[in-house]
Amino acid sequence: MSDIKSFLDELKQLNEKDCFDVFVPSINKKVPFKALSVKQHKDIVKALLGGVEGTVLVTKIFNDIILENSTQFSDFKLYDRSKILVELRQQGISDKVTIDDKDYLLSELPEYKAEFKKDAEFSYRGIKIKAAIPSLELDSKITEKSVIEISKFTSDEKKVGNSINILLAYEIMKFVKTIQIDDTLITFSELGTYDKKNIIENLPLKLNNDILEFITAYKEYEQELFTYSDGAKLNIDGSFLTSE
């Protein structure tokens, strides 16, 4: 038994040393990361088999991998995720990916330039909103809450039918920082999920659409950063870190 324990200790130490540098866009420099573990691989596969809730949870698992495997930094932003995952796969699994039966190299993606708007302000009829691309930590917390709400539906049909509206509301929650009416300032990070959801659902449609346009513009710009010269788009989904 002692031999097994010593062996496992040595294995863990080797894993801790198995690091490579990964570029983090939000701080514009490289950070050491540990390679993916078998357990993390299993967590992704398990989520992929978990229906609607599992599909949504994959993004949180990606966040957890980044936060756990970084050895020197933890204040990651949402727009760091895709770039980090690409490099984790490139250095730890394979540089090659297959899109629509055609092989591509991750090293041939466009240079990553985070030249999109990272925050914005909107106002309408006395209501002022500040929005910003969230941290991975906040993204994970709100994603967990959305999964809890989806899981309340008893059938897969109802989960699928209601998940779009649920996820849309929770996505907006992630990006709102503050809402102000006259002298009353509400900081979203200080609110519970129930209050956040009520506020989002009672916003004027104009402000709701403004926030969604901000989110969409960021995501469309980021997608272009993971699009090859022939138009093939890299899909960073649950299978991205589980297959060569």
Side-chain angles (χ1 to χ4, degrees):
M1 182 67 71
S2 59
D3 290 341
I4 294 296
K5 185 178 183 302
S6 297
F7 180 80
L8 287 172
D9 288 342
E10 289 182 23
L11 187 59
K12 288 178 181 178
Q13 289 176 16
L14 287 172
N15 287 335
E16 290 292 328
K17 295 177 182 177
D18 183 18
C19 293
F20 38 76
D21 290 337
V22 172
F23 181 73
V24 179
S26 63
I27 58 173
N28 197 34
K29 68 178 185 179
K30 292 189 174 184
V31 172
F33 272 79
K34 293 180 289 185
L36 291 167
S37 69
V38 173
K39 180 184 179 303
Q40 289 170 336
H41 180 274
K42 287 182 176 179
D43 287 341
I44 297 171
V45 173
K46 182 180 178 181
L48 292 175
L49 300 174
V52 177
E53 296 100 315
T55 301
V56 177
L57 269 178
V58 165
T59 58
K60 180 187 178 298
I61 294 172
F62 283 162
N63 293 347
D64 291 342
I65 288 171
I66 291 170
L67 292 167
E68 290 169 10
N69 289 31
S70 171
T71 64
Q72 295 181 4
F73 186 72
S74 61
D75 189 22
F76 297 100
K77 301 300 181 184
L78 184 60
Y79 61 91
D80 290 324
R81 183 169 64 201
S82 293
K83 177 59 176 172
I84 292 173
L85 292 176
V86 165
E87 293 204 23
L88 286 178
R89 177 188 165 88
Q90 184 180 359
Q91 300 191 56
I93 301 175
S94 175
D95 188 34
K96 187 182 76 174
V97 291
T98 303
I99 303 173
D100 295 332
D101 298 322
K102 182 178 178 181
D103 291 340
Y104 294 85
L105 296 179
L106 295 173
S107 54
E108 294 179 349
L109 283 166
E111 180 185 356
Y112 192 100
K113 295 180 179 179
E115 296 176 346
F116 41 80
K117 289 182 65 177
K118 300 169 185 66
D119 51 53
E121 295 185 15
F122 310 105
S123 62
Y124 179 73
R125 294 190 175 180
I127 306 171
K128 297 179 180 179
I129 292 179
K130 289 186 178 181
I133 299 174
S135 66
L136 286 192
E137 183 179 1
L138 177 60
D139 181 75
S140 290
K141 288 179 180 178
I142 295 180
T143 297
E144 279 189 304
K145 297 294 184 181
S146 69
V147 170
I148 291 172
E149 184 161 345
I150 291 171
S151 67
K152 292 177 182 177
F153 295 97
T154 55
S155 70
D156 288 341
E157 184 179 355
K158 288 183 178 179
K159 288 177 182 179
V160 171
N162 288 278
S163 62
I164 294 176
N165 287 334
I166 291 171
L167 293 173
L168 190 60
Y170 279 81
E171 190 73 3
I172 293 174
M173 279 186 217
K174 297 175 186 179
F175 283 76
V176 173
K177 290 189 69 177
T178 63
I179 298 182
Q180 184 172 358
I181 301 178
D182 297 326
D183 295 329
T184 303
L185 179 67
I186 302 295
T187 302
F188 252 45
S189 62
E190 298 174 355
L191 301 180
T193 304
Y194 178 81
D195 290 330
K196 289 179 182 177
K197 190 165 182 258
N198 272 340
I199 290 174
I200 293 299
E201 290 178 344
N202 283 281
L203 284 177
L205 183 60
K206 171 71 167 60
L207 288 173
N208 183 85
N209 290 343
D210 286 342
I211 299 167
L212 286 176
E213 285 179 11
F214 168 64
I215 296 172
T216 300
Y218 147 62
K219 292 192 172 183
E220 287 179 347
Y221 186 101
E222 188 178 53
Q223 180 61 73
E224 289 301 312
L225 296 173
F226 298 99
T227 300
Y228 288 92
S229 58
D230 65 355
K233 298 181 184 299
L234 182 67
N235 189 19
I236 304 176
D237 57 10
S239 65
F240 184 68
L241 295 180
T242 59
S243 59
E244 291 192 16

